[in-house]
Amino acid sequence: MKNNITTIITLYKTPLEKLKNLNQYKAFKLIIFEQEGNLSSKKKINKILKRKFEYLYSKKNIGLPKASNILLNKVKSKYLLFTQADILIDKKSILNLVKIFKKDENIIFVTPTINKKIKKKNNISFVKNIKAACMICDVKKLKKIGFFDDDYFLYWEDIDLIKKINLSKFKMVLANNIFAKHQSSQSSKDNFNTLYLRSSNYIYGEFIYDFKHKKFRIIKVVRKLIQNLFLFFFDILRFRFKNSIIRVFKIYGILKFILYFFKKIKF
């Protein structure tokens, strides 16, 4: 069964100690995509993992959705494990997740219970929402329906995907008694650039989601823009400089969406 599973993971400025977590996937084929990577970085990863893996990279950060779609196209196995460097899960749990696909031919995703170890009577639950940080996917079904939308960059692409699944015949399953740990927000180094990516792209993704799902309102964009401009000056006056920087990043995210909006609409 383990030969039917490929682990795919996207890295971005991942701390070296977190890369050690990838050794938990040594029983499975591993494909890595590194944002802003290079062959020198591959050598560093190789020293830590000491195992074979396929390495792909981009010179600039192209966003999680694009990287994930590139990885998906490289997968030849029946199942893939979509995960992150700050996820902890053992081999037995992964194999048990795969067994759940036998319960229904329309299952597309199976996820472990994350950060909660409460045994339940029902081993599985068919759910309308999942935590996409760690999930086993049926590759054939995923390629049929499509993975993440490339228009997103870092946030909201999972919410968009889940909505798409719920509108299809496919089903998602939560494994109640199979567990994983998520060391949240520890898969990338906490620095200025990471703060910018998170702050700007969360609000950018929110507006793209609204736009794609007919929830878009111009008044919301204007309100958010004015609100963050006001809070920027307020934080400056209160000497909350980190908060003021975050406000600038959010404003940039809003302006980035406005540019996206004008490119998409037809007059």
Side-chain angles (χ1 to χ4, degrees):
M1 185 187 294
K2 64 182 182 181
N3 293 328
N4 282 331
I5 304 170
T6 299
T7 301
I8 64 171
I9 186 165
T10 298
L11 305 177
Y12 175 69
K13 299 187 183 301
T14 304
L16 294 179
E17 61 270 19
K18 293 302 171 189
L19 290 174
K20 295 177 183 178
N21 291 342
L22 304 189
N23 283 315
Q24 65 194 333
Y25 308 117
K26 60 185 178 181
F28 315 109
K29 182 178 179 180
L30 174 64
I31 309 177
I32 294 172
F33 188 100
E34 186 171 23
Q35 310 278 18
E36 299 182 16
N38 51 57
L39 295 180
S40 176
S41 181
K42 179 185 178 181
K43 291 179 180 178
K44 291 180 182 178
I45 297 172
N46 193 52
K47 287 181 180 179
I48 294 172
L49 299 187
K50 297 179 180 179
R51 57 156 293 178
K52 290 182 178 181
F53 60 92
E54 188 172 350
Y55 179 83
L56 308 168
Y57 70 95
S58 58
K59 292 183 179 180
K60 65 177 184 178
N61 191 337
I62 62 173
L64 179 63
K66 286 184 179 179
S68 299
N69 288 326
I70 290 171
L71 287 168
L72 174 62
N73 288 330
K74 291 287 183 178
V75 175
K76 305 300 181 184
S77 58
K78 186 174 182 179
Y79 303 103
L80 70 82
L81 171 64
F82 177 83
T83 187
Q84 299 178 8
D86 52 4
I87 289 287
L88 299 177
I89 187 170
D90 57 45
K91 173 185 172 182
K92 182 179 178 181
S93 295
I94 294 170
L95 294 175
N96 285 335
L97 288 172
V98 172
K99 292 177 182 178
I100 294 173
F101 282 91
K102 296 179 181 179
K103 296 183 180 293
D104 192 301
E105 64 179 8
N106 287 321
I107 295 175
I108 187 170
F109 298 146
V110 180
T111 65
T113 297
I114 296 177
N115 292 345
K116 292 181 181 179
K117 283 198 173 184
I118 303 173
K119 289 284 185 177
K120 295 186 178 181
K121 292 182 179 180
N122 296 326
N123 290 331
I124 67 170
S125 299
F126 287 90
V127 294
K128 295 295 184 181
N129 193 22
I130 59 170
K131 292 183 178 180
C134 179
M135 58 185 182
I136 294 283
C137 314
D138 183 304
V139 173
K140 186 176 180 180
K141 295 185 182 79
L142 186 56
K143 287 183 176 180
K144 182 177 181 179
I145 198 169
F147 205 6
F148 295 132
D149 187 326
D150 283 354
D151 284 351
Y152 296 94
F153 191 87
L154 184 61
Y155 293 105
W156 291 83
E157 70 280 344
D158 54 339
I159 299 173
D160 183 89
L161 175 61
I162 288 167
K163 185 176 182 64
K164 183 165 60 175
I165 298 299
N166 285 326
L167 292 173
S168 74
K169 67 177 181 179
F170 297 126
K171 301 175 182 179
M172 299 177 289
V173 170
L174 173 65
N176 295 316
N177 297 323
I178 301 175
F179 306 102
K181 183 177 180 180
H182 190 191
Q183 301 166 312
S184 299
S185 301
Q186 295 180 30
S187 59
S188 297
K189 292 180 181 178
D190 188 11
N191 57 29
F192 185 84
N193 195 47
T194 303
L195 182 65
Y196 153 71
L197 288 171
R198 289 173 177 165
S199 302
S200 64
N201 284 296
Y202 185 87
I203 197 164
Y204 172 70
E206 179 183 357
F207 284 129
I208 287 186
Y209 182 85
D210 288 348
F211 178 76
K212 287 180 177 288
H213 297 285
K214 303 186 186 305
K215 295 182 178 181
F216 175 70
R217 298 291 183 272
I218 292 177
I219 188 65
K220 180 180 177 180
V221 178
V222 174
R223 185 178 72 247
K224 289 278 188 178
L225 184 59
I226 294 173
Q227 180 186 61
N228 280 283
L229 281 169
F230 171 80
L231 290 173
F232 164 74
F233 290 109
F234 180 77
D235 288 332
I236 288 288
L237 292 173
R238 298 290 296 272
F239 301 104
R240 297 174 178 174
F241 296 119
K242 183 176 180 180
N243 285 350
S244 66
I245 291 171
I246 290 174
R247 298 298 174 189
V248 171
F249 293 157
K250 288 184 176 181
I251 291 168
Y252 176 80
I254 296 170
L255 296 176
K256 182 181 174 183
F257 168 76
I258 291 173
L259 181 62
Y260 167 90
F261 174 76
F262 281 113
K263 285 181 178 179
K264 289 292 183 179
I265 61 173
K266 296 179 180 178
F267 293 97

